[in-house]
Amino acid sequence: QIKKFREGIKVGDRVVTAGGIYGKVRSIEDTTFSLEISKDVRITIDKGSVYPSADEASKDAQAQGDQSK
C-alpha cells in the first residue's frame, strides 16, 4: 500500500517524512523528492522516507523495529 502511494506521488502532493516533517512535493527525481516545508524553504529527501500520513509513518517504523528483533 505504501509502495503504491510512493509510486503515485506527483508534484503538489502533501506528504510527511519518516522523521515527521510535513511538506508539499515540489520536484521529483529518480530517487529523491524536493519538499517545500515552509515558504521558500525546500529540503531533498529519499523517496523511501515519505508517507501519506503520520499514522502510516508510525506503523512502518514500528514494523521495521519488530523485524529487527
Side-chain angles (χ1 to χ4, degrees):
Q1 180 182 6
I2 292 173
K3 184 178 179 183
K4 286 182 183 179
F5 164 77
R6 288 177 181 150
E7 291 171 354
I9 291 175
K10 57 190 178 304
V11 172
D13 286 351
R14 294 191 176 275
V15 297
V16 63
T17 70
I21 299 171
Y22 289 79
K24 185 183 279 190
V25 177
R26 290 300 182 193
S27 68
I28 302 170
E29 301 299 326
D30 290 337
T31 60
T32 62
F33 293 110
S34 175
L35 287 188
E36 185 172 47
I37 57 174
S38 187
K39 187 176 192 263
D40 298 324
V41 178
R42 294 182 183 194
I43 60 173
T44 301
I45 61 160
D46 184 81
K47 282 186 175 179
S49 66
V50 295
Y51 298 87
S53 70
D55 289 340
E56 291 296 328
S58 177
K59 287 177 191 175
D60 193 49
Q62 185 176 19
Q64 288 183 8
D66 290 345
Q67 290 176 357
S68 65
K69 291 181 181 178

